[in-house]
Amino acid sequence: MIQTLRRLSVGLVVLIVVTVISGADTVSEVFRRPPTGQIQVVALGDSVTSGSNCNCSAFPQMYGDQLQERGTTVGVQNLGVGGLDSSGLLQTLNQPNSPAEVATAAANVVLLTIGANDFGDHHDDVTSGQCSADCVSDEFEQLTVNLGKILTRIHALRDNKPTTILMTGYWNVFEDGDVAARQYPTSGRVASDQLTLRTNGAISAAAAADDATYVDIYTPFKDSSNITSLLASDGDHPNAAGHALIATVLLSATPNPLPSSSHQGG
């Protein structure tokens, strides 16, 4: 998710991914080429995926653990990167022999959470209530294009083999809960919610146009009795309970049985 003071450039993000530097806001794990003969899960996305500010097992590993309870050996590669936007992810997938390219080629399950950081430059305008839909029209158009290209690239890396692609939306592209209530006026919180719904709509449409599944995260978070109880102290990222909820929702959207594992190089 987006934090106002930590905009990472696309070039820096790509460098981080390619060189496989580990850390909470970089690559979540040092990449390992997974073994054959098991369900391979790769998680691609931003700091929600990486588990930023949670100090917990992020939702991709929770998901993998729950998936394994179906009786299948599961390997998980969490390549979430803090600050990553859709352009940055597309670049990493196009980088020869990058961790994202190699892991995606080997994965028959792809978890994809991307889009919130595309609007980072307008964080203050949106949360202050001064930004209409027009002020993010260019970014929204670019996100829509990038999502289609990302899905096309995933299929190319998979050589069009059966692949389960689960694309999550967001409960909020910016801060939420008590933190947002303290920091932003009502108009700003409404604008942030509207941008979130629009972003989720783009993600859902991209999934519908492709052989992918949109996974609604917005509804279960908003329907909780207290969304703050699902968020880290920054109000921007999930805490352990939030990650557990995302993992559970993802598992519910996962077909049973899954496509068989098929390893191939990047």
Side-chain angles (χ1 to χ4, degrees):
M1 295 284 283
I2 295 173
Q3 297 175 352
T4 306
L5 299 180
R6 65 109 176 89
R7 297 294 88 219
L8 296 178
S9 69
V10 169
L12 177 59
V13 170
V14 173
L15 177 62
I16 291 171
V17 175
V18 172
T19 55
V20 201
I21 302 172
S22 62
D25 281 327
T26 56
V27 177
S28 300
E29 299 175 15
V30 174
F31 173 73
R32 304 180 305 278
R33 185 182 291 274
T36 58
Q38 63 182 26
I39 296 296
Q40 305 294 341
V41 178
V42 64
L44 306 172
D46 51 34
S47 56
V48 174
T49 299
S50 73
S52 179
N53 291 347
C54 181
N55 193 28
C56 67
S57 178
F59 75 80
Q61 188 59 55
M62 293 183 180
Y63 168 82
D65 292 343
Q66 293 180 28
L67 187 60
Q68 190 156 286
E69 292 177 2
R70 291 184 175 180
T72 304
T73 303
V74 177
V76 178
Q77 295 291 331
N78 185 349
L79 300 182
V81 179
L84 192 68
D85 62 12
S86 62
S87 294
L89 177 56
L90 184 59
Q91 288 187 42
T92 65
L93 287 171
N94 285 323
Q95 178 71 33
N97 296 317
S98 70
E101 186 195 57
V102 175
T104 301
N108 48 331
V109 179
V110 179
L111 309 180
L112 182 59
T113 302
I114 201 71
N117 287 316
D118 288 54
F119 307 103
D121 289 343
H122 295 284
H123 174 277
D124 292 349
D125 293 333
V126 173
T127 56
S128 65
Q130 300 177 24
C131 178
S132 66
D134 290 340
C135 82
V136 294
S137 58
D138 291 344
E139 290 80 1
F140 187 79
E141 181 178 354
Q142 188 62 60
L143 172 62
T144 301
V145 171
N146 287 346
L147 289 172
K149 290 182 177 180
I150 287 167
L151 290 168
T152 297
R153 181 58 177 160
I154 289 171
H155 289 300
L157 289 172
R158 289 289 296 149
D159 198 24
N160 290 317
K161 294 178 180 179
T163 306
T164 298
I165 304 174
L166 304 177
M167 302 175 68
T168 76
Y170 294 89
W171 63 94
N172 203 318
V173 296
F174 298 129
E175 295 86 354
D176 208 328
D178 291 347
V179 171
R182 288 195 305 267
Q183 294 182 354
Y184 310 126
T186 299
S187 59
R189 299 197 300 275
V190 169
S192 180
D193 186 68
Q194 291 174 340
L195 178 57
T196 301
L197 291 172
R198 190 180 182 195
T199 301
N200 289 346
I203 297 169
S204 177
D210 190 89
D211 185 20
T213 299
Y214 172 70
V215 181
D216 176 24
I217 299 299
Y218 181 93
T219 299
F221 267 73
K222 295 297 186 180
D223 284 352
S224 66
S225 58
N226 179 13
I227 195 170
T228 301
S229 67
L230 300 173
L231 302 177
S233 59
D234 61 4
D236 197 31
H237 299 89
N239 59 16
H243 279 283
L245 178 57
I246 295 172
T248 298
V249 175
L250 281 167
L251 187 68
S252 296
T254 303
N256 192 11
L258 282 163
S260 60
S261 178
S262 177
H263 176 73
Q264 62 186 53

